[in-house]
Amino acid sequence: GKVQSYMAAGKPIIGAISGDTKTIVEEANCGYVSSEQDVEQLAQNICEFSMLSIEEQKELGKQARSYYEKHFSKEQFMTQLEKYLRGIFLMKILMINTVCGIRSTGRICTDIATALTKQGHEVKIAYGREHVPTQYRDYAVKIGSRVDVNRHVLQARIFDNAGFGSK
């Protein structure tokens, strides 16, 4: 935004602003701010700024530039973006599947689990039926019992509650 551009240029800020922008200028101690509709305070701030020595005005500009470098520079942005993306991509992943390593759906889940594990992610596949091939036992978490599986199959076939079109 405009204020960030002024700060990058090392300029003191005098403005009628609110919200985060006002907070930033106050935290940076790089100028004078008033509420958006407070014309009298804005005029007072302009007068106060004009009474400062050139050195004091330059110091406000230096503080603006310093705050910009710490919070808004390209390097800072990239660092924050990298931390954010690492937080997203270094997550624990749970895939829920009714099978594990068998036929197409199970194969897709296990292939994804293998690829994500190679990238350093912790992956678990929650499954509810059939046995788990040895190579996928690190990922597998059995949920439910054989009775649960049979009940699900029966409900799916009779009532189509699972939405599989398996009547």
Side-chain angles (χ1 to χ4, degrees):
K2 291 178 188 177
V3 171
Q4 290 174 351
S5 297
Y6 300 147
M7 292 175 85
K11 299 295 181 186
I13 310 294
I14 303 171
I17 52 181
S18 63
D20 290 339
T21 306
K22 182 178 181 185
T23 302
I24 288 168
V25 173
E26 290 172 344
E27 283 179 6
N29 193 26
C30 66
Y32 295 88
V33 293
S34 64
S35 299
E36 291 174 327
Q37 303 301 320
D38 193 344
V39 176
E40 291 180 22
Q41 183 62 51
L42 178 61
Q44 178 66 32
N45 288 344
I46 293 170
C47 290
E48 285 184 35
F49 179 79
S50 68
M51 302 290 274
L52 296 176
S53 68
I54 297 296
E55 291 79 25
E56 291 171 315
Q57 291 176 0
K58 286 183 180 179
E59 183 59 31
L60 290 175
K62 287 179 186 176
Q63 289 171 223
R65 178 66 188 177
S66 175
Y67 191 91
Y68 172 84
E69 289 173 354
K70 289 178 186 171
H71 299 279
F72 302 119
S73 68
K74 181 179 179 182
E75 292 78 18
Q76 181 63 25
F77 173 77
M78 295 306 288
T79 300
Q80 289 176 345
L81 179 61
E82 182 179 346
K83 285 180 185 177
Y84 174 75
L85 291 175
R86 283 188 189 275
I88 289 174
F89 293 121
L90 294 178
M91 62 185 154
K92 295 180 180 181
I93 299 167
L94 172 67
M95 293 183 281
I96 299 175
N97 186 22
T98 57
V99 295
C100 187
I102 312 296
R103 293 184 293 282
S104 62
T105 305
R107 180 70 56 217
I108 291 167
C109 285
T110 53
D111 287 350
I112 291 170
T114 301
L116 290 171
T117 300
K118 285 180 183 176
Q119 294 175 13
H121 302 287
E122 182 180 334
V123 180
K124 295 293 179 190
I125 301 172
Y127 74 101
R129 68 176 190 216
E130 302 188 23
H131 72 285
V132 178
T134 305
Q135 68 266 35
Y136 303 118
R137 292 212 173 123
D138 289 342
Y139 310 130
V141 177
K142 177 113 170 96
I143 55 174
S145 65
R146 191 70 190 154
V147 173
D148 293 329
V149 171
N150 289 334
R151 182 179 50 79
H152 169 75
V153 169
L154 185 61
Q155 285 178 331
R157 297 233 164 102
I158 295 172
F159 303 108
D160 197 24
N161 286 341
F164 298 127
S166 51
K167 282 185 179 178

